[in-house]
Tab-separated table of all heavy atoms in Angstrom:
chain	number	residue	atom	x	y	z
F	1	GLY	N	69.485	15.634	15.854
F	1	GLY	CA	68.658	15.243	16.971
F	1	GLY	C	68.278	13.758	16.896
F	1	GLY	O	67.591	13.293	17.854
F	2	GLY	N	68.731	13.099	15.916
F	2	GLY	CA	68.292	11.672	15.747
F	2	GLY	C	68.995	10.692	16.624
F	2	GLY	O	68.536	9.571	16.798
F	3	SER	N	70.136	11.098	17.123
F	3	SER	CA	70.896	10.187	17.986
F	3	SER	C	71.298	10.866	19.295
F	3	SER	O	71.649	12.012	19.279
F	3	SER	CB	72.196	9.717	17.279
F	3	SER	OG	71.873	9.009	16.113
F	4	THR	N	71.146	10.140	20.377
F	4	THR	CA	71.531	10.647	21.679
F	4	THR	C	72.211	9.549	22.470
F	4	THR	O	72.097	8.431	22.216
F	4	THR	CB	70.263	11.164	22.439
F	4	THR	OG1	69.436	10.061	22.813
F	4	THR	CG2	69.502	12.171	21.680
F	5	ASN	N	72.911	10.048	23.486
F	5	ASN	CA	73.529	9.091	24.437
F	5	ASN	C	73.651	9.777	25.787
F	5	ASN	O	73.731	11.032	25.863
F	5	ASN	CB	74.883	8.581	23.969
F	5	ASN	CG	75.349	7.378	24.675
F	5	ASN	OD1	74.558	6.510	25.128
F	5	ASN	ND2	76.695	7.253	24.894
F	6	SER	N	73.651	8.980	26.825
F	6	SER	CA	73.803	9.559	28.178
F	6	SER	C	74.726	8.697	29.006
F	6	SER	O	74.882	7.508	28.726
F	6	SER	CB	72.458	9.656	28.842
F	6	SER	OG	71.635	10.591	28.204
F	7	ALA	N	75.263	9.307	30.005
F	7	ALA	CA	76.099	8.556	30.959
F	7	ALA	C	75.239	7.553	31.730
F	7	ALA	O	74.088	7.811	31.942
F	7	ALA	CB	76.778	9.537	31.934
F	8	ASP	N	75.870	6.448	32.120
F	8	ASP	CA	75.087	5.423	32.830
F	8	ASP	C	74.447	5.997	34.134
F	8	ASP	O	73.380	5.541	34.480
F	8	ASP	CB	76.034	4.276	33.227
F	8	ASP	CG	76.437	3.465	32.012
F	8	ASP	OD1	75.750	3.547	30.954
F	8	ASP	OD2	77.434	2.716	32.087
F	9	SER	N	75.073	6.955	34.689
F	9	SER	CA	74.574	7.497	35.967
F	9	SER	C	73.274	8.242	35.855
F	9	SER	O	72.600	8.479	36.789
F	9	SER	CB	75.645	8.420	36.598
F	9	SER	OG	75.948	9.490	35.722
F	10	VAL	N	72.898	8.657	34.573
F	10	VAL	CA	71.696	9.437	34.361
F	10	VAL	C	70.726	8.773	33.419
F	10	VAL	O	69.628	9.310	33.186
F	10	VAL	CB	72.007	10.858	33.856
F	10	VAL	CG1	72.988	11.574	34.847
F	10	VAL	CG2	72.538	10.841	32.487
F	11	LYS	N	71.079	7.653	32.809
F	11	LYS	CA	70.248	7.007	31.857
F	11	LYS	C	68.937	6.630	32.552
F	11	LYS	O	68.885	6.119	33.669
F	11	LYS	CB	70.908	5.696	31.353
F	11	LYS	CG	71.841	5.989	30.166
F	11	LYS	CD	72.420	4.697	29.584
F	11	LYS	CE	73.307	5.043	28.407
F	11	LYS	NZ	74.014	3.906	27.850
F	12	GLY	N	67.839	6.886	31.831
F	12	GLY	CA	66.533	6.596	32.326
F	12	GLY	C	65.968	7.765	33.125
F	12	GLY	O	64.771	7.774	33.442
F	13	ARG	N	66.811	8.722	33.450
F	13	ARG	CA	66.377	9.889	34.250
F	13	ARG	C	66.522	11.180	33.490
F	13	ARG	O	65.653	12.055	33.626
F	13	ARG	CB	67.181	9.990	35.554
F	13	ARG	CG	67.052	8.793	36.431
F	13	ARG	CD	67.681	9.042	37.840
F	13	ARG	NE	69.108	9.309	37.729
F	13	ARG	CZ	69.678	10.398	38.166
F	13	ARG	NH1	68.976	11.384	38.717
F	13	ARG	NH2	71.022	10.594	38.036
F	14	PHE	N	67.531	11.362	32.720
F	14	PHE	CA	67.809	12.523	31.955
F	14	PHE	C	67.535	12.301	30.487
F	14	PHE	O	67.912	11.258	29.961
F	14	PHE	CB	69.229	13.029	32.114
F	14	PHE	CG	69.646	13.499	33.501
F	14	PHE	CD1	68.773	13.412	34.558
F	14	PHE	CD2	70.847	14.126	33.683
F	14	PHE	CE1	69.112	13.808	35.836
F	14	PHE	CE2	71.219	14.631	34.956
F	14	PHE	CZ	70.347	14.420	36.028
F	15	THR	N	66.962	13.293	29.828
F	15	THR	CA	66.683	13.249	28.374
F	15	THR	C	67.248	14.465	27.702
F	15	THR	O	66.825	15.604	28.119
F	15	THR	CB	65.210	13.067	28.122
F	15	THR	OG1	64.755	11.879	28.783
F	15	THR	CG2	64.985	12.915	26.617
F	16	ILE	N	68.008	14.352	26.679
F	16	ILE	CA	68.479	15.481	25.922
F	16	ILE	C	67.688	15.602	24.659
F	16	ILE	O	67.283	14.580	24.035
F	16	ILE	CB	69.996	15.375	25.618
F	16	ILE	CG1	70.574	16.605	24.983
F	16	ILE	CG2	70.244	14.139	24.739
F	16	ILE	CD1	72.069	16.651	24.843
F	17	SER	N	67.373	16.821	24.289
F	17	SER	CA	66.626	17.083	23.063
F	17	SER	C	67.053	18.430	22.478
F	17	SER	O	67.711	19.197	23.189
F	17	SER	CB	65.123	17.027	23.291
F	17	SER	OG	64.718	18.035	24.188
F	18	ARG	N	66.670	18.658	21.250
F	18	ARG	CA	66.975	19.986	20.644
F	18	ARG	C	65.908	20.456	19.721
F	18	ARG	O	65.174	19.622	19.117
F	18	ARG	CB	68.357	19.858	19.932
F	18	ARG	CG	68.288	18.933	18.701
F	18	ARG	CD	69.733	18.616	18.165
F	18	ARG	NE	70.412	19.813	17.719
F	18	ARG	CZ	71.711	19.918	17.536
F	18	ARG	NH1	72.527	18.882	17.900
F	18	ARG	NH2	72.259	21.030	17.044
F	19	ASP	N	65.871	21.748	19.560
F	19	ASP	CA	64.961	22.367	18.610
F	19	ASP	C	65.815	23.328	17.803
F	19	ASP	O	66.151	24.444	18.241
F	19	ASP	CB	63.871	23.141	19.369
F	19	ASP	CG	62.810	23.703	18.448
F	19	ASP	OD1	63.138	23.977	17.240
F	19	ASP	OD2	61.714	23.929	18.847
F	20	ASN	N	66.297	22.839	16.660
F	20	ASN	CA	67.199	23.651	15.874
F	20	ASN	C	66.577	24.982	15.387
F	20	ASN	O	67.291	26.005	15.265
F	20	ASN	CB	67.727	22.871	14.687
F	20	ASN	CG	68.777	21.798	15.107
F	20	ASN	OD1	69.314	21.877	16.205
F	20	ASN	ND2	69.070	20.898	14.283
F	21	ALA	N	65.270	24.962	15.171
F	21	ALA	CA	64.618	26.174	14.712
F	21	ALA	C	64.692	27.257	15.779
F	21	ALA	O	64.806	28.432	15.523
F	21	ALA	CB	63.160	25.910	14.295
F	22	LYS	N	64.613	26.804	17.045
F	22	LYS	CA	64.745	27.729	18.188
F	22	LYS	C	66.166	27.914	18.644
F	22	LYS	O	66.392	28.664	19.635
F	22	LYS	CB	63.818	27.243	19.322
F	22	LYS	CG	62.351	27.277	18.993
F	22	LYS	CD	61.544	26.875	20.231
F	22	LYS	CE	60.060	26.983	19.933
F	22	LYS	NZ	59.226	26.573	21.119
F	23	LYS	N	67.060	27.162	18.033
F	23	LYS	CA	68.486	27.223	18.399
F	23	LYS	C	68.665	26.948	19.891
F	23	LYS	O	69.427	27.604	20.561
F	23	LYS	CB	69.087	28.540	18.002
F	23	LYS	CG	68.972	28.842	16.535
F	23	LYS	CD	69.502	30.227	16.112
F	23	LYS	CE	71.002	30.259	16.129
F	23	LYS	NZ	71.586	31.517	15.573
F	24	THR	N	67.967	25.965	20.378
F	24	THR	CA	67.972	25.612	21.812
F	24	THR	C	68.084	24.079	22.003
F	24	THR	O	67.458	23.334	21.279
F	24	THR	CB	66.711	26.170	22.473
F	24	THR	OG1	66.615	27.532	22.262
F	24	THR	CG2	66.783	25.863	23.987
F	25	VAL	N	68.852	23.752	22.972
F	25	VAL	CA	69.018	22.392	23.363
F	25	VAL	C	68.565	22.221	24.817
F	25	VAL	O	68.753	23.157	25.640
F	25	VAL	CB	70.433	21.862	23.231
F	25	VAL	CG1	70.591	20.427	23.707
F	25	VAL	CG2	70.903	21.951	21.761
F	26	TYR	N	67.870	21.129	25.111
F	26	TYR	CA	67.335	21.024	26.478
F	26	TYR	C	67.865	19.754	27.161
F	26	TYR	O	68.294	18.758	26.488
F	26	TYR	CB	65.758	20.800	26.336
F	26	TYR	CG	65.113	21.899	25.583
F	26	TYR	CD1	64.783	21.807	24.241
F	26	TYR	CD2	64.769	23.101	26.220
F	26	TYR	CE1	64.148	22.770	23.560
F	26	TYR	CE2	64.162	24.138	25.526
F	26	TYR	CZ	63.802	23.969	24.163
F	26	TYR	OH	63.214	24.952	23.506
F	27	LEU	N	67.853	19.799	28.459
F	27	LEU	CA	68.153	18.597	29.264
F	27	LEU	C	67.033	18.476	30.315
F	27	LEU	O	66.999	19.269	31.232
F	27	LEU	CB	69.537	18.774	29.914
F	27	LEU	CG	70.000	17.531	30.661
F	27	LEU	CD1	70.294	16.334	29.729
F	27	LEU	CD2	71.210	17.796	31.515
F	28	GLN	N	66.177	17.519	30.067
F	28	GLN	CA	65.153	17.231	31.050
F	28	GLN	C	65.716	16.283	32.087
F	28	GLN	O	66.174	15.142	31.766
F	28	GLN	CB	63.956	16.596	30.345
F	28	GLN	CG	62.838	16.217	31.287
F	28	GLN	CD	62.112	17.442	31.861
F	28	GLN	OE1	61.883	18.415	31.165
F	28	GLN	NE2	61.812	17.354	33.199
F	29	MET	N	65.678	16.737	33.276
F	29	MET	CA	66.283	15.919	34.393
F	29	MET	C	65.166	15.540	35.377
F	29	MET	O	64.535	16.380	36.035
F	29	MET	CB	67.356	16.767	35.161
F	29	MET	CG	68.420	17.260	34.179
F	29	MET	SD	69.772	17.985	35.101
F	29	MET	CE	68.951	19.369	35.885
């Protein structure tokens, strides 16, 4: 979870994150 990247079309609007303990990845749009 320490490194992320996004397409230019969504940078600044979308955020990816993860919680490995919950085995879940999120995309905040």
Side-chain angles (χ1 to χ4, degrees):
S3 298
T4 65
N5 195 33
S6 295
D8 289 343
S9 58
V10 305
K11 275 183 179 176
R13 300 189 297 123
F14 291 10
T15 303
I16 189 171
S17 62
R18 66 192 294 161
D19 185 335
N20 286 345
K22 294 183 178 180
K23 302 178 76 172
T24 303
V25 177
Y26 305 97
L27 184 68
Q28 179 67 42
M29 306 189 297

